[in-house]
Amino acid sequence: MSPPILIAGGAALCLSFLLTLLIKRKARSIGLIDVPNERSSHAVPTPRGGGLAIVIASLLTLGVLAAAGFIPLRLFLALVPGGAAVAAVGFIDDRRGLSARIRLFVHFMAAGWAVLCIGPVHLFDIERGSPLLEGLVYGLSTVGIVWFLNMYNFMDGIDGIAGSQAVFMALGTVVLGLFSLGIAYTAATAAVIGAAALGFLLWNWPPAKIFLGDVGSGYLGFVFAVIGLASGIHDPASPWTLLILAGVFAVDATFTVLRRFLRGEQVTQPHRTHGFQLLAQKMGHHNVTLSIALVNLVWLLPCALASALWPQYAAWIVPLALGPLVLGAFAIGAGRPEPQAETETLPDTHTLPAVVIPFRAAAPKRRAAAAVAAHEYHSARVAQRHSSSTAIEELSVNDGG
């Protein structure tokens, strides 16, 4: 990798690190505190929205590389407006919430713009030369980007998981770029994204001092999908390789969503039934994040390397690489009904109405209890701050984290 790319990566890392610290300190004043509830995987109010540092650091650095000619203009145009739009709706959602329809609308607009700038992925040759099939491929490429960025968002649920996955995917893209001619610029782009993610990850490693937020998870999913799209223009096997690198996220998110959808659940509702969430309840955030990193390095990276070395077999290597992960998700119970859902749907052939109605009414009581607990927690913190001038304020951000 050339010295300018290394310098750009170092700049992105340092800038992301410092911006994450700034966001961490200002999180309370700008409304970016994640207060835990009954669905949360954390127990202490924690700053969120740290992914904004990744967005700013990477886009600024990519702008410099594009101006210097290291990144094609069409890739830069696909990444910047689309990535900024996805990050913007994520930031708004982190602060005050945003409807799923608005988020999806922006996601589709950003994805469609990226496909128009770069072109669709041609995984097979049958669609070339047919206007109808060509249009279908444009549509499928757009849907693929939207799926990938939402998949990444779904998987941002425990400390360090999304940041470490971004570093791994960037590293894998850089390494695999050595085996593919004509796509060095995608490796340069991935290097900058990975460096910015690493700067944030230093603050997000378990136990996390700040969370990524939708502003970062959606953005990372979008940029990696666009990188795969751009690399597929030169090497049709590259999208398959990217899918292998994202194997843990792809399998866990897709398997869980499909299982909940087939059961008739609303997939946009918060839940804690992803495989990594179930494991975190038993093993802890740190051990799960390390385990995923181990699977990435020991299994998925060699499989991705094989798909790059033998691109004619890439489509067949994908099920070989992801098959064990699917079996693992099934064994863990990803997407299974949560305990209260199982209680609410227990069959009783004699008194079914009497059973169903009271248990459905119990959910608001649990939410009310959680709200009361949160209120009591904040009241206690306020009383503590007034009673002692030396008390530590957990909601504010200090230099030591």
Side-chain angles (χ1 to χ4, degrees):
M1 186 169 291
S2 63
I5 304 301
L6 295 176
I7 294 173
L13 189 155
C14 295
L15 183 57
S16 176
F17 180 86
L18 295 175
L19 287 174
T20 304
L21 174 61
L22 178 62
I23 296 169
K24 180 173 175 288
R25 288 180 171 178
K26 300 296 182 181
R28 188 183 180 192
S29 62
I30 58 179
L32 288 175
I33 293 294
D34 194 329
V35 179
N37 54 46
E38 61 181 359
R39 299 288 186 178
S40 300
S41 297
H42 63 290
V44 179
T46 305
R48 64 182 173 190
L52 183 61
I54 299 176
V55 176
I56 296 174
S58 60
L59 289 184
L60 287 177
T61 309
L62 290 175
V64 174
L65 291 179
F70 288 97
I71 297 176
L73 180 60
R74 63 177 183 175
L75 177 58
F76 180 74
L77 290 177
L79 287 172
V80 174
V86 170
V89 295
F91 183 75
I92 296 172
D93 192 46
D94 286 333
R95 289 198 62 197
R96 56 183 178 86
L98 203 60
S99 71
R101 290 183 179 180
I102 295 177
R103 295 198 307 270
L104 277 177
F105 175 79
V106 175
H107 293 169
F108 271 101
M109 292 298 101
W113 169 256
V115 175
L116 287 177
C117 289
I118 298 175
V121 169
H122 291 275
L123 297 178
F124 307 100
D125 290 330
I126 58 174
E127 72 273 8
R128 296 182 186 272
S130 170
L132 179 60
L133 292 177
E134 188 77 12
L136 178 61
V137 172
Y138 270 89
L140 290 176
S141 299
T142 301
V143 171
I145 294 176
V146 173
W147 168 77
F148 200 93
L149 75 89
N150 280 278
M151 170 203 77
Y152 212 101
N153 188 24
F154 290 153
M155 293 295 292
D156 178 31
I158 61 174
D159 298 351
I161 186 172
S164 59
Q165 179 70 19
V167 174
F168 166 73
M169 291 186 64
L171 177 63
T173 303
V174 171
V175 171
L176 296 174
L178 301 175
F179 300 93
S180 301
L181 299 177
I183 56 172
Y185 60 84
T186 61
T189 304
V192 169
I193 300 298
L198 179 59
F200 163 79
L201 182 61
L202 296 175
W203 295 103
N204 182 243
W205 189 256
K209 301 173 183 64
I210 186 171
F211 293 153
L212 184 66
D214 288 351
V215 60
S217 59
Y219 172 78
L220 287 174
F222 175 81
V223 295
F224 279 117
V226 173
I227 289 173
L229 185 73
S231 62
I233 300 300
H234 297 281
D235 182 4
S238 292
W240 295 121
T241 302
L242 177 69
L243 181 60
I244 294 173
L245 291 176
V248 173
F249 274 33
V251 169
D252 196 345
T254 306
F255 185 90
T256 301
V257 169
L258 283 177
R259 195 171 183 181
R260 296 182 68 226
F261 175 78
L262 293 175
R263 200 166 53 246
E265 295 184 16
Q266 188 173 355
V267 296
T268 58
Q269 290 286 23
H271 64 98
R272 292 198 300 174
T273 63
H274 283 287
F276 75 90
Q277 292 172 319
L278 298 175
L279 288 177
Q281 295 170 23
K282 300 178 180 180
M283 301 170 54
H285 293 208
H286 184 266
N287 291 332
V288 173
T289 300
L290 282 179
S291 298
I292 292 174
L294 185 64
V295 171
N296 284 337
L297 291 173
V298 174
W299 175 245
L300 293 179
L301 184 58
C303 290
L305 179 60
S307 70
L309 292 175
W310 297 285
Q312 67 273 25
Y313 302 117
W316 299 102
I317 296 175
V318 170
L320 173 66
L322 304 188
L325 303 182
V326 174
L327 295 177
F330 181 80
I332 294 168
R336 69 188 181 191
E338 294 187 85
Q340 64 265 29
E342 292 174 350
T343 303
E344 292 168 6
T345 57
L346 284 176
D348 188 331
T349 56
H350 299 290
T351 58
L352 182 59
V355 172
V356 173
I357 294 175
F359 278 105
R360 286 182 176 174
K365 293 181 181 179
R366 287 194 296 272
R367 289 194 293 269
V372 170
H375 176 74
E376 291 176 352
Y377 173 84
H378 288 295
S379 299
R381 298 305 301 157
V382 172
Q384 183 182 12
R385 288 196 297 271
H386 283 291
S387 63
S388 173
S389 59
T390 60
I392 298 175
E393 182 180 357
E394 291 183 4
L395 295 183
S396 24
V397 181
N398 51 58
D399 294 336

